[in-house]
Coordinates of all heavy atoms in Angstrom, one line a residue:
M1 N 2.6 -10.8 -15.0 CA 2.4 -9.8 -14.0 C 3.8 -9.0 -13.9 O 4.8 -9.6 -13.8 CB 2.1 -10.5 -12.6 CG 2.0 -9.5 -11.5 SD 1.7 -10.3 -9.9 CE 0.0 -10.8 -10.1
E2 N 3.6 -7.7 -13.9 CA 4.8 -6.9 -13.8 C 5.2 -6.7 -12.3 O 4.4 -7.0 -11.4 CB 4.5 -5.5 -14.4 CG 4.4 -5.5 -15.9 CD 4.3 -4.2 -16.5 OE1 5.0 -3.3 -16.0 OE2 3.6 -4.0 -17.5
I3 N 6.4 -6.2 -12.1 CA 7.0 -6.1 -10.8 C 6.1 -5.1 -10.0 O 5.9 -5.3 -8.8 CB 8.4 -5.6 -10.8 CG1 9.0 -5.7 -9.4 CG2 8.5 -4.2 -11.4 CD1 10.5 -5.6 -9.3
W4 N 5.5 -4.1 -10.6 CA 4.7 -3.1 -9.9 C 3.4 -3.8 -9.4 O 3.0 -3.5 -8.3 CB 4.4 -1.9 -10.7 CG 5.7 -1.3 -11.2 CD1 6.0 -1.1 -12.5 CD2 6.7 -0.7 -10.5 NE1 7.2 -0.5 -12.6 CE2 7.7 -0.2 -11.4 CE3 7.0 -0.5 -9.1 CZ2 8.9 0.4 -11.0 CZ3 8.1 0.1 -8.7 CH2 9.1 0.5 -9.6
D5 N 2.9 -4.7 -10.1 CA 1.7 -5.4 -9.7 C 2.0 -6.3 -8.5 O 1.2 -6.4 -7.6 CB 1.2 -6.3 -10.8 CG 0.7 -5.5 -12.0 OD1 0.2 -4.4 -11.8 OD2 0.8 -6.0 -13.2
E6 N 3.2 -6.9 -8.5 CA 3.6 -7.7 -7.3 C 3.8 -6.8 -6.1 O 3.4 -7.2 -5.0 CB 4.9 -8.4 -7.6 CG 4.7 -9.5 -8.7 CD 6.0 -10.2 -9.0 OE1 6.8 -10.5 -8.1 OE2 6.2 -10.5 -10.2
V7 N 4.4 -5.7 -6.2 CA 4.6 -4.8 -5.1 C 3.2 -4.3 -4.5 O 3.0 -4.4 -3.3 CB 5.4 -3.5 -5.5 CG1 5.5 -2.5 -4.4 CG2 6.8 -4.0 -5.9
I8 N 2.3 -3.9 -5.4 CA 1.0 -3.5 -5.0 C 0.3 -4.7 -4.3 O -0.4 -4.5 -3.2 CB 0.1 -3.0 -6.1 CG1 0.8 -1.7 -6.8 CG2 -1.3 -2.7 -5.7 CD1 0.9 -0.5 -5.8
Q9 N 0.4 -5.8 -4.8 CA -0.2 -7.0 -4.2 C 0.4 -7.3 -2.8 O -0.4 -7.6 -1.8 CB 0.0 -8.3 -5.1 CG -0.7 -9.5 -4.5 CD -0.5 -10.7 -5.4 OE1 -0.1 -10.6 -6.6 NE2 -0.8 -11.9 -4.9
E10 N 1.7 -7.1 -2.6 CA 2.3 -7.2 -1.3 C 1.8 -6.2 -0.3 O 1.5 -6.5 0.8 CB 3.8 -7.2 -1.4 CG 4.4 -8.4 -2.0 CD 4.2 -9.6 -1.2 OE1 4.4 -9.6 0.1 OE2 4.0 -10.7 -1.7
F11 N 1.6 -4.9 -0.8 CA 1.0 -3.9 0.0 C -0.4 -4.3 0.5 O -0.7 -4.2 1.7 CB 1.0 -2.6 -0.7 CG 2.2 -1.8 -0.7 CD1 2.6 -1.1 -1.9 CD2 3.0 -1.6 0.4 CE1 3.8 -0.3 -1.9 CE2 4.1 -0.8 0.4 CZ 4.5 -0.2 -0.8
N12 N -1.2 -4.8 -0.4 CA -2.5 -5.1 -0.1 C -2.6 -6.3 0.9 O -3.4 -6.3 1.8 CB -3.3 -5.5 -1.4 CG -3.6 -4.4 -2.3 OD1 -3.6 -3.2 -1.8 ND2 -3.8 -4.6 -3.6
E13 N -1.7 -7.3 0.7 CA -1.7 -8.4 1.6 C -1.3 -8.0 3.0 O -1.9 -8.4 4.0 CB -0.8 -9.5 1.1 CG -1.3 -10.2 -0.1 CD -0.4 -11.2 -0.7 OE1 0.7 -11.5 -0.1 OE2 -0.7 -11.7 -1.8
E14 N -0.3 -7.1 3.1 CA 0.2 -6.6 4.5 C -0.9 -5.8 5.1 O -1.2 -5.9 6.3 CB 1.5 -5.9 4.3 CG 2.1 -5.5 5.6 CD 2.5 -6.7 6.5 OE1 2.7 -7.8 6.0 OE2 2.5 -6.5 7.7
I15 N -1.6 -4.9 4.4 CA -2.7 -4.1 4.9 C -3.8 -5.0 5.4 O -4.3 -4.8 6.5 CB -3.2 -3.1 3.8 CG1 -2.2 -2.0 3.5 CG2 -4.5 -2.5 4.3 CD1 -2.5 -1.2 2.3
Q16 N -4.1 -6.1 4.7 CA -5.2 -7.0 5.1 C -4.8 -7.7 6.4 O -5.6 -7.9 7.3 CB -5.5 -8.0 4.0 CG -6.6 -8.9 4.3 CD -7.9 -8.1 4.5 OE1 -8.2 -7.0 4.0 NE2 -8.8 -8.7 5.3
K17 N -3.5 -8.1 6.5 CA -3.0 -8.8 7.7 C -3.2 -7.9 8.9 O -3.6 -8.3 10.0 CB -1.6 -9.2 7.6 CG -1.3 -10.4 6.7 CD 0.1 -10.7 6.6 CE 0.5 -11.6 5.4 NZ 2.0 -11.8 5.3
L18 N -2.8 -6.6 8.7 CA -2.9 -5.7 9.8 C -4.3 -5.4 10.2 O -4.6 -5.3 11.4 CB -2.1 -4.4 9.5 CG -0.6 -4.5 9.4 CD1 -0.1 -3.2 8.7 CD2 0.0 -4.7 10.7
R19 N -5.2 -5.3 9.2 CA -6.6 -5.1 9.5 C -7.2 -6.3 10.3 O -8.0 -6.1 11.2 CB -7.4 -4.9 8.2 CG -7.2 -3.5 7.6 CD -8.0 -3.4 6.3 NE -7.8 -2.0 5.8 CZ -8.1 -1.7 4.6 NH1 -8.5 -2.6 3.7 NH2 -7.9 -0.5 4.2
L20 N -6.8 -7.5 9.9 CA -7.3 -8.7 10.6 C -6.7 -8.7 12.0 O -7.4 -9.2 13.0 CB -6.9 -9.9 9.9 CG -7.6 -10.2 8.5 CD1 -7.0 -11.4 7.8 CD2 -9.1 -10.4 8.8
T21 N -5.5 -8.3 12.2 CA -4.9 -8.2 13.6 C -5.7 -7.3 14.4 O -6.1 -7.6 15.6 CB -3.4 -7.7 13.5 OG1 -2.7 -8.7 12.7 CG2 -2.8 -7.6 14.9
I22 N -6.0 -6.1 13.9 CA -6.8 -5.2 14.7 C -8.2 -5.7 15.0 O -8.7 -5.7 16.1 CB -6.9 -3.8 14.0 CG1 -5.5 -3.1 14.0 CG2 -7.9 -2.9 14.6 CD1 -5.5 -1.9 13.1
S23 N -8.9 -6.2 13.9 CA -10.3 -6.6 14.1 C -10.3 -7.9 15.0 O -11.4 -8.1 15.6 CB -10.9 -6.9 12.8 OG -10.3 -8.0 12.1
G24 N -9.3 -8.6 15.1 CA -9.2 -9.8 15.9 C -8.9 -9.5 17.4 O -8.9 -10.4 18.2
G25 N -8.7 -8.2 17.7 CA -8.5 -7.8 19.1 C -7.1 -8.2 19.5 O -6.8 -8.3 20.7
A26 N -6.1 -8.3 18.6 CA -4.8 -8.7 19.0 C -3.9 -7.5 19.5 O -2.8 -7.7 19.9 CB -4.1 -9.4 17.8
A27 N -4.4 -6.3 19.4 CA -3.6 -5.1 19.9 C -3.5 -5.3 21.4 O -4.5 -5.4 22.1 CB -4.3 -3.8 19.5
E28 N -2.3 -5.2 21.9 CA -2.0 -5.4 23.3 C -2.5 -4.3 24.2 O -2.9 -4.5 25.3 CB -0.5 -5.6 23.5 CG 0.0 -6.8 22.8 CD 1.5 -6.8 22.6 OE1 2.2 -5.9 23.1 OE2 2.0 -7.7 21.9
D29 N -2.4 -3.1 23.6 CA -2.8 -1.9 24.4 C -3.1 -0.8 23.3 O -3.0 -1.0 22.1 CB -1.8 -1.4 25.4 CG -0.4 -1.2 24.8 OD1 -0.2 -1.1 23.6 OD2 0.6 -1.2 25.6
Y30 N -3.4 0.4 23.8 CA -3.8 1.5 22.9 C -2.6 1.9 22.1 O -2.7 2.2 20.9 CB -4.3 2.7 23.7 CG -4.8 3.8 22.8 CD1 -5.9 3.6 22.0 CD2 -4.2 5.0 22.9 CE1 -6.3 4.7 21.2 CE2 -4.6 6.1 22.0 CZ -5.7 5.9 21.2 OH -6.1 6.9 20.4
A31 N -1.4 1.9 22.7 CA -0.2 2.3 21.9 C 0.0 1.3 20.7 O 0.4 1.7 19.6 CB 1.0 2.3 22.8
H32 N -0.2 0.0 21.0 CA 0.0 -1.0 19.9 C -1.1 -0.8 18.9 O -0.8 -0.9 17.7 CB 0.0 -2.4 20.5 CG 0.3 -3.5 19.6 ND1 -0.4 -4.7 19.6 CD2 1.2 -3.5 18.5 CE1 0.1 -5.4 18.6 NE2 1.0 -4.8 18.0
Y33 N -2.3 -0.5 19.3 CA -3.4 -0.3 18.3 C -3.0 0.9 17.4 O -3.2 0.9 16.2 CB -4.7 0.0 19.1 CG -5.8 0.6 18.3 CD1 -6.6 -0.3 17.5 CD2 -6.0 1.9 18.2 CE1 -7.6 0.2 16.7 CE2 -7.1 2.4 17.4 CZ -7.8 1.5 16.7 OH -8.8 2.0 15.9
R34 N -2.5 2.0 18.0 CA -2.1 3.2 17.3 C -1.0 2.8 16.3 O -1.0 3.3 15.2 CB -1.7 4.3 18.2 CG -2.9 4.9 18.9 CD -2.4 6.1 19.8 NE -1.8 7.1 18.9 CZ -1.2 8.2 19.4 NH1 -1.2 8.4 20.6 NH2 -0.7 9.0 18.5
Q35 N -0.1 2.0 16.7 CA 1.0 1.6 15.8 C 0.5 0.8 14.6 O 0.9 1.0 13.5 CB 2.0 0.7 16.6 CG 3.2 0.2 15.7 CD 4.1 -0.7 16.4 OE1 3.7 -1.3 17.5 NE2 5.3 -1.0 15.9
L36 N -0.4 -0.1 14.9 CA -1.0 -0.9 13.8 C -1.8 0.0 12.8 O -1.6 -0.1 11.6 CB -2.0 -2.0 14.4 CG -1.3 -3.1 15.2 CD1 -2.3 -3.9 15.9 CD2 -0.4 -3.9 14.3
V37 N -2.6 0.9 13.3 CA -3.3 1.9 12.5 C -2.3 2.7 11.7 O -2.6 3.0 10.5 CB -4.3 2.7 13.3 CG1 -4.9 3.8 12.5 CG2 -5.4 1.9 13.9
G38 N -1.3 3.2 12.3 CA -0.3 4.0 11.6 C 0.4 3.2 10.5 O 0.7 3.8 9.4
S39 N 0.6 1.9 10.8 CA 1.2 1.1 9.7 C 0.3 1.0 8.5 O 0.7 1.0 7.4 CB 1.6 -0.3 10.3 OG 2.6 -0.2 11.3
I40 N -1.0 0.8 8.8 CA -2.0 0.7 7.7 C -2.0 2.0 6.9 O -2.0 2.0 5.7 CB -3.4 0.3 8.3 CG1 -3.4 -1.1 8.8 CG2 -4.4 0.5 7.2 CD1 -4.6 -1.5 9.6
Q41 N -2.0 3.1 7.6 CA -2.0 4.4 7.0 C -0.8 4.6 6.1 O -0.9 5.1 5.0 CB -2.1 5.5 8.0 CG -3.5 5.6 8.6 CD -3.5 6.7 9.7 OE1 -2.6 6.9 10.4 NE2 -4.7 7.3 9.9
G42 N 0.4 4.2 6.6 CA 1.6 4.4 5.9 C 1.6 3.5 4.6 O 2.0 4.0 3.6
L43 N 1.2 2.3 4.8 CA 1.2 1.4 3.6 C 0.2 1.8 2.6 O 0.4 1.8 1.4 CB 0.9 -0.1 4.1 CG 2.0 -0.8 4.8 CD1 1.5 -2.0 5.5 CD2 3.2 -1.1 3.9
T44 N -1.0 2.3 3.0 CA -2.0 2.8 2.1 C -1.5 4.1 1.4 O -1.7 4.2 0.2 CB -3.3 3.2 2.9 OG1 -3.7 2.0 3.6 CG2 -4.4 3.7 2.0
W45 N -0.8 4.9 2.1 CA -0.2 6.1 1.5 C 0.9 5.7 0.4 O 0.9 6.2 -0.7 CB 0.5 7.0 2.5 CG 1.2 8.2 2.0 CD1 0.6 9.4 1.7 CD2 2.6 8.3 1.6 NE1 1.6 10.3 1.2 CE2 2.8 9.6 1.1 CE3 3.6 7.4 1.7 CZ2 4.0 10.0 0.7 CZ3 4.9 7.8 1.3 CH2 5.1 9.1 0.8
A46 N 1.7 4.8 0.8 CA 2.8 4.3 -0.1 C 2.2 3.7 -1.4 O 2.6 3.9 -2.5 CB 3.7 3.4 0.6
R47 N 1.2 2.8 -1.1 CA 0.5 2.1 -2.3 C -0.1 3.2 -3.2 O 0.0 3.1 -4.4 CB -0.5 1.2 -1.7 CG -1.3 0.4 -2.8 CD -2.4 -0.4 -2.3 NE -3.4 0.5 -1.7 CZ -4.4 0.0 -0.9 NH1 -4.5 -1.2 -0.7 NH2 -5.3 0.9 -0.4
G48 N -0.8 4.2 -2.7 CA -1.4 5.2 -3.5 C -0.4 6.0 -4.3 O -0.6 6.3 -5.5
N49 N 0.7 6.4 -3.6 CA 1.7 7.2 -4.3 C 2.4 6.4 -5.4 O 2.6 6.9 -6.5 CB 2.7 7.7 -3.3 CG 2.2 9.0 -2.6 OD1 1.3 9.6 -3.0 ND2 2.9 9.3 -1.5
L50 N 2.7 5.1 -5.1 CA 3.3 4.3 -6.1 C 2.4 4.1 -7.3 O 2.8 4.2 -8.5 CB 3.7 2.9 -5.5 CG 4.3 1.9 -6.4 CD1 5.7 2.4 -6.9 CD2 4.5 0.6 -5.7
T51 N 1.1 3.9 -7.0 CA 0.1 3.7 -8.1 C 0.1 5.0 -9.0 O 0.1 4.9 -10.2 CB -1.3 3.4 -7.6 OG1 -1.2 2.2 -6.8 CG2 -2.3 3.2 -8.7
D52 N 0.0 6.1 -8.3 CA 0.0 7.4 -9.1 C 1.3 7.6 -9.9 O 1.2 8.0 -11.1 CB -0.1 8.6 -8.1 CG -1.5 8.7 -7.5 OD1 -2.4 8.0 -7.9 OD2 -1.6 9.4 -6.4
I53 N 2.4 7.3 -9.4 CA 3.7 7.4 -10.1 C 3.7 6.5 -11.4 O 4.0 6.9 -12.5 CB 4.9 7.1 -9.2 CG1 5.0 8.2 -8.2 CG2 6.2 7.0 -10.1 CD1 6.0 7.9 -7.1
I54 N 3.2 5.3 -11.2 CA 3.2 4.3 -12.3 C 2.3 4.8 -13.4 O 2.6 4.7 -14.5 CB 2.8 2.9 -11.8 CG1 3.9 2.3 -10.8 CG2 2.6 1.9 -12.9 CD1 3.5 1.1 -10.1
K55 N 1.1 5.3 -13.0 CA 0.1 5.7 -13.9 C 0.7 7.0 -14.7 O 0.5 7.0 -15.9 CB -1.2 6.1 -13.3 CG -2.0 4.9 -12.8 CD -3.3 5.4 -12.2 CE -4.1 4.2 -11.7 NZ -5.3 4.6 -11.0
K56 N 1.3 7.9 -14.0 CA 1.9 9.0 -14.7 C 3.0 8.6 -15.7 O 3.0 9.2 -16.8 CB 2.5 10.0 -13.6 CG 1.4 10.8 -12.9 CD 2.0 11.6 -11.8 CE 1.0 12.3 -10.9 NZ 1.6 13.0 -9.8
R57 N 3.8 7.7 -15.3 CA 4.9 7.2 -16.2 C 4.3 6.5 -17.4 O 4.8 6.8 -18.5 CB 5.8 6.3 -15.4 CG 6.6 6.9 -14.3 CD 8.0 7.3 -14.9 NE 8.8 8.0 -13.9 CZ 10.0 7.6 -13.4 NH1 10.5 6.6 -13.9 NH2 10.6 8.4 -12.6
A58 N 3.3 5.7 -17.2 CA 2.7 5.0 -18.3 C 2.0 6.0 -19.2 O 2.1 5.8 -20.4 CB 1.7 4.0 -17.8
Y59 N 1.4 7.0 -18.7 CA 0.7 8.0 -19.5 C 1.7 8.8 -20.3 O 1.5 9.1 -21.5 CB -0.1 8.9 -18.6 CG -0.9 9.9 -19.4 CD1 -2.0 9.6 -20.2 CD2 -0.5 11.3 -19.4 CE1 -2.7 10.5 -20.9 CE2 -1.2 12.2 -20.1 CZ -2.3 11.9 -20.8 OH -3.0 12.8 -21.5
A60 N 2.9 9.1 -19.6 CA 3.9 9.9 -20.3 C 4.5 9.0 -21.5 O 4.8 9.6 -22.5 CB 5.0 10.3 -19.3
E61 N 4.7 7.7 -21.2 CA 5.2 6.9 -22.3 C 4.3 6.8 -23.5 O 4.7 6.8 -24.6 CB 5.5 5.5 -21.7 CG 6.7 5.5 -20.8 CD 6.9 4.1 -20.2 OE1 6.2 3.1 -20.5 OE2 7.8 4.0 -19.3
E62 N 3.0 6.7 -23.2 CA 2.0 6.7 -24.3 C 2.0 8.0 -25.1 O 1.8 7.9 -26.3 CB 0.6 6.5 -23.7 CG 0.4 5.1 -23.1 CD -1.0 4.9 -22.5 OE1 -1.8 5.8 -22.6 OE2 -1.2 3.8 -21.9
E63 N 2.2 9.1 -24.4 CA 2.2 10.4 -25.2 C 3.5 10.5 -26.1 O 3.4 11.1 -27.1 CB 2.2 11.5 -24.2 CG 0.9 11.8 -23.6 CD 0.9 13.1 -22.7 OE1 2.0 13.6 -22.4 OE2 -0.2 13.5 -22.4
E64 N 4.5 9.8 -25.7 CA 5.8 9.9 -26.4 C 5.7 9.0 -27.7 O 6.4 9.3 -28.7 CB 7.0 9.4 -25.6 CG 7.3 10.4 -24.5 CD 8.4 9.8 -23.6 OE1 8.9 8.7 -23.9 OE2 8.8 10.5 -22.6
E65 N 4.8 8.1 -27.7 CA 4.7 7.2 -28.9 C 4.0 7.8 -30.0 O 3.3 8.7 -30.1 CB 4.0 5.9 -28.4 CG 4.9 5.1 -27.5 CD 4.2 3.8 -27.0 OE1 3.1 3.5 -27.4 OE2 4.8 3.1 -26.3

């Protein structure tokens, strides 16, 4: 497993924890709920961008060969 796979896996695990927190009703109030949702959105955005960057780099390396 490459380092990028481990990073993506960590993103996925954290997103899942936050989703479970929300679905379990652990949000103390609406502001906390919004914070949790924002964290999920931020992690999802970061995971998507990282995945895109990795794919672009891998594709660029394949073209160079």
Side-chain angles (χ1 to χ4, degrees):
M1 179 182 289
E2 291 191 33
I3 189 168
W4 305 117
D5 295 327
E6 292 179 41
V7 172
I8 297 299
Q9 182 177 348
E10 286 296 318
F11 278 138
N12 290 337
E13 289 174 8
E14 188 61 26
I15 290 167
Q16 186 61 26
K17 286 180 198 175
L18 292 169
R19 286 179 177 163
L20 290 173
T21 299
I22 291 173
S23 67
E28 299 162 4
D29 54 17
Y30 185 64
H32 187 219
Y33 170 81
R34 287 183 59 183
Q35 178 187 15
L36 293 170
V37 170
S39 295
I40 291 170
Q41 288 175 327
L43 288 168
T44 302
W45 177 86
R47 180 186 63 190
N49 281 344
L50 180 61
T51 302
D52 289 345
I53 291 167
I54 293 167
K55 286 179 182 178
K56 287 176 187 175
R57 293 262 175 127
Y59 182 72
E61 287 176 5
E62 288 176 7
E63 284 186 346
E64 291 176 2
E65 293 177 359

